[in-house]
Amino acid sequence: MSTVLPPAAGGSAADDSTVAVLTAGTGGAPRGGFWHDVFRRLRRSPTAWVGLAIVLLFVVVALLAPLLAPYPETALPGAREITPTYIPGPGEIAAFPLGLDRFGGDVVSKLIWGAQASLLIGVVSTAYGLIGGMLLGLVAGTFGGWVDNVIMRLVDILLSVPSLLLAVSIAAILGQNQNSVMIAIGVAQVPIFARLLRASMLQQRSADYVLSAQTLGLGRGRITMTHVLPNAVGPVIVQGTLSLATAVIDAAALSFLGLGGGRPETAEWGRMLTYAQAELAIAPWLAFLPGICIAITALGFTLFGEALREAMDPRTRGR
């Protein structure tokens, strides 16, 4: 409860009481908006900083791959060093710190170029799923009725199939190439975003500010686009961050199954795992190194996504 302070020199008791009321309701400092509070909580989260550091490292390596990689993507500088029973490993040849692969490619260069391929597939496929899912969720949440029922039954059918199995089926139908992998992973993510946005919009539609806008005579389309959608999109952003981790893993899985296309020497972490299978007895590092890269990258996106979810959770915002 606020108290009326004695008036200062040159001021009135009414002015001071007003200031006291405002500061008492805000803990002595003015509060920012929702996103200001989210960013403040993210700055205080060690999990967010660790996840962001991993993600930024991954992004920097991917974007600067042409400058960081010692050799071009498909170059085979160590082909002469390879024999049927011997592949130089880490530290055995100074020019190749992490050794060579079966085809004579520099493993360091392959891992760097593989980061670029994985980032491209992860971002584009998640964008496909996000756009498609938000369109379906927006239409279902806006119109309701039979439109909502039809869209949600379609979403239920997609959800009834495991996402990886759905992605494998779509990629196999579309053909063995990188575009097919991105479309397949994106389609598998559509029902998740659609259901999430629809549920969030239905929750926002019963809010007081929506009822006030309807009382003022605003149309359904304007209310949806200017009021409901901006307030309902938060959970979708969080899910998009988490889905990037899933997309990186799914891309590696599809490439591992041979659905990514490309030549054997093309740098991509999942493809590196595929061709490392036959060399596990004599060159186990060819499987360990790309596997570690996939795990660390997915961990970074997951940690940051979880921290963002925690920062946007209304049940913990007051802490």
Side-chain angles (χ1 to χ4, degrees):
M1 182 179 296
S2 61
T3 57
V4 179
L5 302 177
S12 65
D15 293 338
D16 286 342
S17 64
T18 302
V19 173
V21 170
L22 292 175
T23 56
T26 59
R31 291 181 182 269
F34 172 76
W35 289 107
H36 178 273
D37 186 50
V38 170
F39 291 135
R40 177 183 60 82
R41 299 187 66 193
L42 282 177
R43 288 196 300 268
R44 297 179 179 179
S45 172
T47 302
W49 282 108
V50 173
L52 183 62
I54 295 174
V55 170
L56 288 179
L57 177 62
F58 170 59
V59 171
V60 169
V61 170
L63 295 178
L64 299 182
L67 301 177
L68 297 177
Y71 300 96
E73 180 180 3
T74 57
L76 303 175
R80 295 182 179 180
E81 307 290 340
I82 305 299
T83 67
T85 58
Y86 172 71
I87 300 176
E92 295 185 18
I93 301 178
F96 310 111
L98 294 181
L100 300 169
D101 62 15
R102 165 52 68 187
F103 307 100
D106 176 39
V107 174
V108 172
S109 300
K110 298 295 183 182
L111 292 175
I112 293 175
W113 285 106
Q116 187 179 76
S118 298
L119 177 66
L120 176 64
I121 295 175
V123 171
V124 174
S125 59
T126 301
Y128 286 162
L130 185 64
I131 294 173
M134 286 189 65
L135 287 176
L136 292 179
L138 178 62
V139 173
T142 300
F143 293 98
W146 68 269
V147 176
D148 183 21
N149 289 330
V150 170
I151 292 177
M152 286 302 103
R153 297 301 76 78
L154 175 62
V155 168
D156 289 340
I157 293 174
L158 294 176
L159 285 174
S160 66
V161 183
S163 59
L164 183 58
L165 179 59
L166 179 62
V168 169
S169 302
I170 295 174
I173 294 173
L174 296 179
Q176 299 180 3
N177 56 73
Q178 193 176 74
N179 290 331
S180 299
V181 170
M182 292 187 290
I183 294 174
I185 297 174
V187 171
Q189 293 181 350
V190 164
I192 301 174
F193 291 115
R195 268 203 172 280
L196 188 60
L197 181 60
R198 171 186 174 271
S200 185
M201 289 183 64
L202 291 180
Q203 182 180 16
Q204 294 295 327
R205 278 169 54 181
S206 60
D208 293 339
Y209 69 87
V210 175
L211 298 178
S212 301
Q214 292 173 343
T215 303
L216 293 174
L218 297 181
R220 178 166 55 182
R222 184 175 179 182
I223 293 175
T224 299
M225 300 306 297
T226 60
H227 298 287
V228 176
L229 183 60
N231 288 282
V233 77
V236 181
I237 295 175
V238 175
Q239 182 60 42
T241 305
L242 295 171
S243 295
L244 282 169
T246 305
V248 171
I249 296 174
D250 289 347
L254 294 182
S255 295
F256 179 79
L257 295 174
L259 297 173
R263 296 184 297 175
E265 64 271 18
T266 301
E268 202 277 322
W269 290 340
R271 188 177 291 108
M272 293 175 70
L273 287 174
T274 301
Y275 291 102
Q277 293 180 86
E279 318 298 341
L280 287 177
I282 61 174
W285 66 87
L286 295 179
F288 292 158
L289 293 176
I292 291 172
C293 291
I294 294 170
I296 293 177
T297 302
L299 176 64
F301 283 117
T302 301
L303 290 177
F304 185 74
E306 286 294 334
L308 182 59
R309 181 194 61 78
E310 182 74 15
M312 297 181 67
D313 191 344
R315 293 171 296 183
T316 60
R317 287 185 63 202
R319 299 179 185 174

